[in-house]
Amino acid sequence: MNAPRKAAASTGATTAPRILPSRTVPPRTPPTRLWAQAGIALLLLAVLAALTSLAALRLRADLRDLTTTARTRAAAAYQLHATLADLDAQHTAGLVPGGGIGNRQLALTSARLLRTQAGALIADLAEDGSAHARVAVLLDVLSRYDATTARADDAAGLDHPPGRPPQLALLHTEQSGDLFDTEALPQADALARAYTDRAADLADRAGTAGTVLGGATAGLGAATVGFLVWWQRDLARRYGRRFSPALLGATVLTAAVAVSAPLAVLSAADDTRTAVSGGLRAWQDAAAARVSAARAASAQASWLVVDPSQRPALAQQFAADTRRIATVPDAAVRQRLAVLTADDRRLRALGGAADSARAADLLTGVARRHLAFDVYDVEVHLDARAAARSAAFDAATGAGRADLAPHPALPLALLGAAAVGAWLGVRPRLAEYR
């Protein structure tokens, strides 16, 4: 009777228990590591969003300030400088003896129009607080200039025979010219150069900031992407799961921002440098040469009416102004300048021969191969070159604004979606601890 029991006991003793396959089970400890990883990921995404926004907003503000300073303030200041030089030239031309009463009336009418234009430009520049001191000086000088030229016009009259104008008119004209040479034109020149220098400084700052912020954005973006990739691998290893689609999507979105945002910022920074080197500086040279053309015209008119002992100094001024124009790298400008200097030699030959009537006609005539037309021809081509360089500046700054157009809205949206993806990717793992 004990045999079956023994057999059963024997059987039970020899039968091994069934072993189930092992399964990776996460440790039932507080998920401190998961929370820390999630916090680091979200913090990196938040800092990356802040940095991309800062870089885009900074570059956009710099481009806006650069455009305002260069296209509005500097352009008005250089136009004022040229207008004042033209104004002095026209007043002097109105004093030239002979040459026909119609030419002198035309010169005086042009002077009145230029004076109105100068007043409007000064009013525009007065809106900038940093220019108040120079604007106040210009207003004071112009007030004294108006009084002096009015006395000169009254003393000269509209019609007088060839020869030197009345001595009193000449005296008042010399006084007004001295006002412009020693006060008005230097102030206008300093104002124009201050604005272009400020624009160049803005471009340098924007370029430096763009390079630094673009590099920092690229570095932080690469670190964030690297962390997200490592985090996915760590989760897969510890929990035996495949890659999380949500976390993978967050990584892809972050990588897109890490590549596109630095490129946009660096491209905008490069555009600001191009705007200055390819546009602003060349425009400044053409604008300064335009002023020199007006000063050359004033020197020619003065040369004809002043005492012969003063002519060498005016000839030197004319030569200096034409050399300044010759530095402009434009074949059309140089061609017109050659005509101007050739006709100037004719003027000096006639003036030296005391042929005042023909000299006055050569100076004030508005037909081709007259000096008034020669100067106008040079000025037209200088204005065309300045307009072309201004267009190059606008194209470069416009390209910079286009680079930053989707920023910071698009990176913020992508990084916000990445943050949601990161949270959705880790949420199932956190749920296992409940």
Side-chain angles (χ1 to χ4, degrees):
M1 294 182 62
N2 294 328
R5 292 178 180 175
K6 291 180 179 179
S10 175
T11 302
T14 58
T15 301
R18 186 177 179 182
I19 300 176
L20 297 176
S22 64
R23 179 181 178 185
T24 302
V25 178
R28 299 298 176 179
T29 57
T32 304
R33 180 168 179 169
L34 269 181
W35 281 114
Q37 290 172 338
I40 292 172
L42 295 177
L43 178 62
L44 286 173
L45 290 171
V47 175
L48 182 60
L51 187 57
T52 56
S53 300
L54 173 64
L57 293 174
R58 168 66 186 273
L59 265 294
R60 290 174 70 171
D62 285 342
L63 280 169
R64 182 174 59 252
D65 292 343
L66 174 62
T67 302
T68 300
T69 300
R71 294 290 291 120
T72 304
R73 303 301 185 196
Y78 268 107
Q79 188 177 357
L80 174 63
H81 195 187
T83 299
L84 292 177
D86 281 335
L87 173 61
D88 190 45
Q90 292 298 332
H91 266 304
T92 307
L95 196 65
V96 171
I101 188 172
N103 290 342
R104 292 200 300 279
Q105 287 177 324
L106 178 61
L108 294 175
T109 300
S110 298
R112 285 192 290 270
L113 293 175
L114 289 167
R115 178 62 182 86
T116 302
Q117 182 180 356
L121 290 169
I122 289 175
D124 290 340
L125 291 170
E127 296 177 2
D128 179 20
S130 65
H132 281 174
R134 287 194 173 100
V135 166
V137 172
L138 285 170
L139 287 173
D140 175 66
V141 173
L142 283 177
S143 176
R144 288 183 283 151
Y145 181 84
D146 290 340
T148 306
T149 53
R151 290 193 292 268
D153 293 340
D154 289 341
L158 284 179
D159 192 17
H160 48 76
R164 293 185 66 197
Q167 186 63 33
L168 183 59
L170 186 58
L171 177 63
H172 289 315
T173 300
E174 290 177 353
Q175 290 176 347
S176 63
D178 288 341
L179 277 176
F180 262 37
D181 289 339
T182 61
E183 297 185 51
L185 295 181
Q187 287 291 337
D189 180 59
L191 188 60
R193 293 185 183 279
Y195 278 124
T196 51
D197 290 343
R198 187 189 305 176
D201 289 341
L202 282 171
D204 288 341
R205 284 167 43 197
T208 301
T211 301
V212 172
L213 292 173
T217 303
L220 181 59
T224 305
V225 171
F227 179 80
L228 292 176
V229 170
W230 171 85
W231 191 21
Q232 291 183 84
R233 294 187 61 187
D234 183 67
L235 291 177
R237 179 181 58 80
R238 296 180 64 238
Y239 293 89
R241 305 295 198 274
R242 293 183 177 180
F243 281 91
S244 167
L247 199 52
L248 182 60
T251 305
V252 172
L253 293 175
T254 305
V257 173
V259 172
S260 62
L263 287 178
V265 171
L266 291 172
S267 179
D270 186 62
D271 288 331
T272 60
R273 296 189 183 98
T274 301
V276 172
S277 61
L280 181 64
R281 289 304 187 191
W283 169 82
Q284 180 185 17
D285 291 341
R290 171 67 175 78
V291 174
S292 295
R295 287 175 56 83
S298 178
Q300 285 178 324
S302 299
W303 186 89
L304 195 59
V305 299
V306 299
D307 186 90
S309 62
Q310 301 179 27
R311 287 180 172 179
L314 291 170
Q316 290 178 358
Q317 178 186 328
F318 178 84
D321 288 327
T322 52
R323 283 196 299 270
R324 174 65 186 82
I325 299 171
T327 61
V328 176
D330 189 295
V333 170
R334 291 176 179 176
Q335 180 181 2
R336 270 69 183 181
L337 181 61
V339 175
L340 171 62
T341 53
D343 288 338
D344 178 75
R345 288 192 292 271
R346 291 172 53 206
L347 173 71
R348 299 184 192 284
L350 291 172
D355 193 346
S356 299
R358 290 179 60 192
D361 179 68
L362 176 62
L363 180 68
T364 61
V366 294
R368 189 174 293 276
R369 295 312 302 265
H370 288 72
L371 286 166
F373 180 88
D374 294 342
V375 172
Y376 167 78
D377 205 15
V378 171
E379 290 175 344
V380 165
H381 284 80
L382 286 172
D383 287 342
R385 178 171 178 80
R389 294 300 89 202
S390 179
F393 174 88
D394 290 340
T397 54
R401 287 191 294 271
D403 291 334
L404 298 172
H407 301 262
L410 182 58
L412 285 177
L414 294 177
L415 292 174
V420 172
W423 174 250
L424 292 177
V426 75
R427 187 178 178 185
R429 306 290 78 80
L430 292 171
E432 295 180 6
Y433 290 88
R434 294 174 184 172

